[in-house]
Each structure stands twice: as C-alpha cells, then as structure tokens.
C-alpha cells in the first residue's frame, strides 16, 4: 500500500510537479484523428495533465496543439479563423502555426 506522500508524488501531474515534469518528456495521446477530420477544420479543446490546450489541423493537414489563449491580448483562439496555414486570433489576427509559432 502506498503512503499518502507517495500517492501524491505519483498521481499529481500538473506543471511543476515531479510526475508532471516527467510525463511531459513523452508524447501523450490527447485526441483522435477523427476529431480533426480535414484541413482547416474547427479546433478542438483538449485538457491533459491540468492544462487546457487547443488542437487543430492546418491547411496542409498537419495537426498541432497550442495554448488556447492568444499571447497578444488573451482572446480565445477557439473562436479564431483556421485557414491559410494557421489559426488566427479573432481579436487582432495574430496567426499561429501547428508548432505554436506566431506567423
């Protein structure tokens, strides 16, 4: 039987925890391919290890995961325009590619 301290160590996966930092070193499944059925489809909200994220497929069909909030003004990217190679913020139009870079 695990002690309470060991249980905390092994089950807490938020950012900054030992297990959370360890698990972030590996690929984690967060969505099915069917949830992003075609290029420029609507983004999908996902949550894993205490983090809210946004999955989308760009114009070339590549899947990516980004922070759900625009880094410029904090507008929700979920309502952004997914076209022309990236996900554009509805507020000022900042566009992010599948690797999270601002285009």
């Amino acid at each position: 039987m695990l002690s309470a301290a060991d249980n905390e160590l092994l089950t807490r996966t938020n950012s900054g925890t030992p297990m959370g930092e360890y698990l972030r070193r590996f690929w984690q499944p967060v969505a099915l391919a069917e949830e992003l059925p075609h290029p420029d489809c609507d983004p999908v909200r996902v949550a894993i290890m205490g983090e809210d994220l946004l999955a989308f497929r760009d114009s070339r069909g590549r899947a990516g995961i980004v922070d759900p909030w625009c880094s410029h003004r904090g507008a929700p990217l979920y309502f952004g325009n997914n076209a022309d190679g990236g996900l554009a913020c509805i507020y000022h139009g900042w566009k992010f590619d599948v690797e999270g870079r601002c285009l």
Side-chain angles (χ1 to χ4, degrees):
M1 179 109 174
L2 288 177
S3 67
D6 288 341
N7 186 54
E8 284 289 313
L9 177 72
L10 295 174
T11 59
R12 301 296 177 206
T13 59
N14 291 340
S15 182
T17 63
M19 188 57 75
E21 296 304 313
Y22 177 72
L23 289 174
R24 281 168 174 76
R25 297 178 185 170
F26 307 98
W27 285 98
Q28 302 292 330
V30 296
L32 298 171
E34 294 83 26
E35 294 179 73
L36 301 169
H38 54 82
D40 296 331
C41 62
D42 291 336
V44 175
R45 292 177 175 138
V46 295
I48 185 167
M49 292 188 271
E51 290 188 60
D52 294 323
L53 302 167
L54 196 62
F56 71 100
R57 210 175 274 283
D58 71 2
S59 301
R60 292 176 29 199
R62 299 178 303 163
I65 301 249
V66 295
D67 191 288
W69 307 101
C70 179
S71 55
H72 178 234
R73 292 286 184 165
L77 289 174
Y78 178 78
F79 300 108
N81 182 25
N82 186 11
D84 300 324
L87 187 59
C89 175
I90 58 170
Y91 193 59
H92 279 130
W94 283 28
K95 186 180 285 192
F96 300 90
D97 68 5
V98 294
E99 295 181 17
R101 290 185 298 237
C102 184
L103 303 173

